[in-house]
Amino acid sequence: MNRLSDPYTARDSLAGVRVGIQGCLERAADADRLAVSAPGVSAWSVQDHLEHLLFSDRKVLDWVVEVLAAPNPGTREQFPREIGVALLARGSIPRGRGPAPDFTLPDGLPSADVREGFEALRDLAASLEPQLAELDACRHTLPHHVLGHFTPAEWLRFLHLHHRHHEAIIRDILNA
């Protein structure tokens, strides 16, 4: 049974997610740079990275809202794998070619749809602020395809790290 020895608070992680979403909104507003790519850095363009974040965030944040409306289980039954625990503890996602689930792959959305998607996520993330205690106490889990099962607070931590990871790649693409 894997447990995080130092749980991440929903407050800190949600703040990071909100900063990440705001950064995506700013990137999405710069239409001239959305198509920029640098194959030596990433197979994806700037917009592709934004779409991936949009799809990932939407899936997780929609799930968080759903489970907060459900009764909290008495105990946690599923846990992250060791690699998931290590990633959350490390505080960063290493570079490389990690497999992205199909539902998070870029889909060629119009840039206006990407902006609108992040605007909706900004509002959704803001709506979670009054539920921080419930987020920290929630024992529901959703599996990550590689890292194992995360609670809402752990998922928020992952999304925060995920945003930082992709923002660093986007900066490298734009600087290439």
Side-chain angles (χ1 to χ4, degrees):
M1 176 162 75
N2 297 325
R3 292 183 184 234
L4 294 174
S5 59
D6 181 22
Y8 304 97
T9 66
R11 175 180 306 286
D12 296 336
S13 297
L14 183 58
V17 170
R18 292 181 72 187
V19 167
I21 290 170
Q22 184 59 42
C24 289
L25 275 167
E26 292 166 10
R27 293 276 187 211
D30 190 356
D32 294 336
R33 300 180 89 177
L34 289 174
V36 173
S37 62
V41 175
S42 173
W44 289 353
S45 69
V46 170
Q47 175 147 337
D48 291 339
H49 283 276
L50 293 177
E51 284 186 43
H52 170 70
L53 287 167
L54 175 65
F55 298 150
S56 299
D57 287 2
R58 183 182 298 146
K59 170 75 172 175
V60 171
L61 293 177
D62 284 347
W63 172 78
V64 168
V65 168
E66 180 183 316
V67 299
L68 286 177
N72 195 12
T75 60
R76 179 178 180 163
E77 295 182 10
Q78 297 171 308
F79 295 86
R81 294 183 181 116
E82 290 296 325
I83 189 171
V85 172
L87 185 138
L88 293 180
R90 175 183 172 166
S92 65
I93 299 172
R95 290 273 182 107
R97 294 187 150 216
D102 288 345
F103 73 89
T104 69
L105 296 177
D107 199 26
L109 291 177
S111 58
D113 290 353
V114 174
R115 282 192 309 276
E116 288 173 15
F118 280 113
E119 288 168 355
L121 287 176
R122 177 188 57 203
D123 296 343
L124 182 56
S127 76
L128 294 173
E129 280 292 330
Q131 296 176 291
L132 293 171
E134 292 92 338
L135 284 166
D136 277 328
C138 187
R139 292 179 291 276
H140 285 283
T141 61
L142 177 72
H144 181 279
H145 65 290
V146 173
L147 305 174
H149 289 78
F150 290 153
T151 64
E154 291 162 352
W155 267 110
L156 291 175
R157 169 76 170 170
F158 175 82
L159 290 183
H160 171 62
L161 302 178
H162 194 229
H163 272 273
R164 288 189 351 208
H165 171 77
H166 283 279
E167 176 57 27
I169 295 170
I170 289 170
R171 277 194 313 271
D172 289 351
I173 291 169
L174 293 172
N175 290 331

